[in-house]
Amino acid sequence: MDSKVSNGSGLQDEHITNLLVFGFLQSYSDSNFHKELEGLGQELPVPAHLQEEQDDGLQTDGNRCGHFLLSEGRDSQGQEEIIQDIARQLAKIGDDMDRSIHPGLVNNLAMQFMNRRLSEEDRRQCLAAALERVMQTYPTDMEDEKTMLILAMFLAKKVADHTPSLLREVFRTTVTFINQNLFTYVRNLVRNEMD
């Protein structure tokens, strides 16, 4: 089963989510997956100014990567910086949620991601089930969508910290999960910050 979701603006959606999850993970400079994150950053269509490399973003097919428009009058670099700011803010909140994630749950999720027989959809379902368990035990004073978004990215961080070689898989699965379940919330979050 193909896990890609097409709702008309898929590339833009995936780009926003890539930036958000990448920025969230990048906020943890003391992580065990720093080297893997640098490698992932080279593969993603993440803006050059975030990778600390400058190029014109021209791909071999003539398209430009790493830029999108969410609203008129904003340049793409400004929008990308807003998404990075949101990612950093969410990472700070995620640090406070750390206590709600049991190490056994992280270990179990990492083991599931190591199972190469699982499809991308199976991995997404494992992430969703782990997230549901964490959400049940986490008393929250914020919106469910915000809590779920932060915890999904924080679970990705915890799994990648536990087993750095899983960073690409957990990143891809988290982006897919967010695009399928939380993208309207993410888009509104970005738009609200831009206003």
Side-chain angles (χ1 to χ4, degrees):
M1 176 160 132
D2 188 12
S3 64
K4 292 193 181 211
V5 175
S6 177
N7 59 7
S9 60
L11 288 176
Q12 178 177 327
D13 294 354
E14 188 168 325
H15 180 69
I16 292 169
T17 311
N18 280 345
L19 282 174
L20 187 66
V21 176
F22 187 81
F24 185 92
L25 296 172
Q26 205 173 35
S27 296
Y28 296 97
S29 58
D30 62 340
S31 66
N32 292 331
F33 55 83
H34 182 71
K35 184 177 86 175
E36 288 81 1
L37 189 62
E38 282 181 12
L40 179 64
Q42 298 299 317
E43 297 169 15
L44 293 174
V46 176
H49 70 277
L50 296 176
Q51 293 181 23
E52 301 176 353
E53 288 185 11
Q54 294 298 327
D55 65 16
D56 67 359
L58 192 61
Q59 296 177 335
T60 57
D61 63 1
N63 292 320
R64 298 207 177 269
C65 65
H67 296 287
F68 60 93
L69 296 175
L70 290 174
S71 66
E72 298 299 320
R74 284 278 191 164
D75 66 21
S76 60
Q77 185 170 348
Q79 293 166 355
E80 291 160 351
E81 288 171 3
I82 287 171
I83 294 169
Q84 287 294 299
D85 287 342
I86 292 169
R88 282 188 289 274
Q89 292 168 17
L90 295 176
K92 287 179 186 175
I93 297 168
D95 287 339
D96 294 336
M97 295 178 163
D98 190 20
R99 64 175 165 47
S100 67
I101 299 176
H102 190 274
L105 183 131
V106 173
N107 187 47
N108 185 39
L109 190 56
M111 295 299 287
Q112 291 170 327
F113 270 85
M114 282 189 262
N115 183 349
R116 298 294 176 199
R117 290 179 291 172
L118 292 181
S119 68
E120 176 68 21
E121 179 62 20
D122 292 337
R123 287 187 180 112
R124 190 199 59 75
Q125 289 175 0
C126 291
L127 176 63
L131 187 56
E132 188 175 313
R133 286 192 296 275
V134 174
M135 291 281 294
Q136 289 174 356
T137 62
Y138 191 77
T140 182
D141 58 347
M142 69 177 96
E143 303 166 83
D144 284 346
E145 292 89 354
K146 185 174 187 176
T147 303
M148 188 177 294
L149 175 64
I150 294 168
L151 287 172
M153 292 188 295
F154 202 71
L155 275 173
K157 181 253 185 207
K158 297 287 272 186
V159 169
D161 221 23
H162 179 278
T163 311
S165 63
L166 293 175
L167 176 69
R168 282 176 178 77
E169 289 86 356
V170 77
F171 178 89
R172 186 175 43 252
T173 301
T174 303
V175 167
T176 301
F177 177 85
I178 291 169
N179 283 340
Q180 289 179 349
N181 299 285
L182 298 166
F183 192 74
T184 300
Y185 177 78
V186 170
R187 186 179 6 221
N188 291 337
L189 189 64
V190 171
R191 284 183 179 155
N192 290 341
E193 286 293 318
M194 292 176 63
D195 293 336

